[in-house]
Amino acid sequence: SAVISQKPSRDICQRGTSLTIQCQVDSQVTMMFWYRQQPGQSLTLIATANQGSEATYESGFVIDKFPISRPNLTFSTLTVSNMSPEDSSIYLCSASTGLNEKLFFGSGTQLSVL
Amino acid sequence: GEDVEQSLFLSVREGDSSVINCTYTDSSSTYLYWYKQEPGAGLQLLTYIFSNMDMKQDQRLTVLLNKKDKHLSLRIADTQTGDSAIYFCAENTGGFKTIFGAGTRLFVKA
């Protein structure tokens, strides 16, 4: 299993600013992912964080808006850039140890943009 | 395409059984999961079933899989107030990508 620490747990931000969310896993994992969870909706995969290379983004998400870093096997960051109220959501970091493996999740970052 | 659907709400009395249902569309799904999310927390894996199984039991939890109808259910026996949470059905189609349903909010009345 893996324990994932995510911070900040919540933030209130002004329109036009950027927020970086950090995700730390307590063991080496193969895959790290970033999800968005909007109220009453399913989790939407933003991107797969690749170690040492550019993240792989899902349709509808772009690097300029959601830059992602993964400098090593246990750490990743997601930045929400040039925020607008539509970016208000919960952002979740997750990780798995391999193909077909179950996902472990951080506790999420509740973001509110004013 | 890939899609996972589940009802949004379920209300039960404490001590009764809860049954949460889910349908999925991708017949190549290899693993199907149930995750639980409590308020202010991330998702926690409750149980999972491999696609070549039709039932799995784990203490109070029973998972039933009808692969022909692409239907998955989670039964919680003797439901307690602590079981109140959002339950997500999810499928993995053999790669690294997991597709989630919208979640079923379970209310347990004392």
Side-chain angles (χ1 to χ4, degrees):
Chain A
S1 65
V3 176
I4 300 179
S5 301
Q6 188 176 334
K7 59 180 182 181
S9 58
R10 60 178 63 238
D11 208 341
I12 301 172
C13 300
Q14 295 296 319
R15 184 195 299 258
T17 63
S18 298
L19 175 72
T20 295
I21 303 168
Q22 298 182 4
C23 178
Q24 178 74 56
V25 189
D26 71 342
S27 57
Q28 290 190 347
V29 290
T30 305
M31 308 297 292
M32 293 184 74
F33 307 91
W34 288 96
Y35 284 86
R36 183 171 69 185
Q37 182 182 17
Q38 293 180 307
Q41 296 186 28
S42 68
L43 278 71
T44 302
L45 180 63
I46 297 172
T48 302
N50 300 310
Q51 191 224 342
S53 65
E54 192 171 290
T56 304
Y57 290 84
E58 296 298 306
S59 176
F61 298 96
V62 296
I63 188 171
D64 290 345
K65 176 67 176 177
F66 297 102
I68 288 170
S69 78
R70 188 179 174 192
N72 56 52
L73 286 173
T74 63
F75 185 77
S76 179
T77 66
L78 168 74
T79 299
V80 186
S81 303
N82 188 24
M83 288 183 284
S84 67
E86 292 70 36
D87 295 320
S88 298
S89 188
I90 297 173
Y91 292 85
L92 291 157
C93 171
S94 72
S96 74
T97 53
L99 194 65
N100 296 332
E101 289 297 320
K102 52 189 173 286
L103 292 175
F104 300 95
F105 283 86
S107 55
T109 297
Q110 172 94 56
L111 171 62
S112 298
V113 184
L114 304 179
Chain B
E2 304 158 328
D3 197 14
V4 177
E5 293 190 357
Q6 51 185 129
S7 55
L8 293 183
F9 298 99
L10 176 65
S11 179
V12 300
R13 292 190 182 279
E14 191 174 26
D16 288 350
S17 291
S18 307
V19 180
I20 303 172
N21 295 300
C22 168
T23 57
Y24 59 98
T25 56
D26 196 323
S27 58
S28 65
S29 293
T30 54
Y31 285 89
L32 294 130
Y33 306 91
W34 285 103
Y35 286 85
K36 177 183 181 182
Q37 185 180 35
E38 297 184 20
L43 277 69
Q44 172 197 359
L45 180 68
L46 267 186
T47 186
Y48 64 95
I49 190 167
F50 189 53
S51 59
N52 68 354
M53 299 168 65
D54 52 21
M55 187 182 92
K56 181 178 180 181
Q57 187 150 4
D58 183 2
Q59 300 182 340
R60 292 190 298 123
L61 305 178
T62 303
V63 179
L64 295 177
L65 174 61
N66 181 330
K67 201 170 177 184
K68 173 174 167 290
D69 294 338
K70 300 190 187 69
H71 183 266
L72 182 75
S73 69
L74 173 69
R75 179 177 179 269
I76 305 173
D78 188 24
T79 312
Q80 302 298 306
T81 54
D83 295 323
S84 294
I86 303 175
Y87 291 81
F88 290 90
C89 173
E91 63 172 341
N92 181 293
T93 57
F96 291 106
K97 191 171 178 179
T98 302
I99 308 297
F100 288 85
T104 299
R105 188 178 293 273
L106 175 63
F107 296 94
V108 182
K109 295 176 285 189

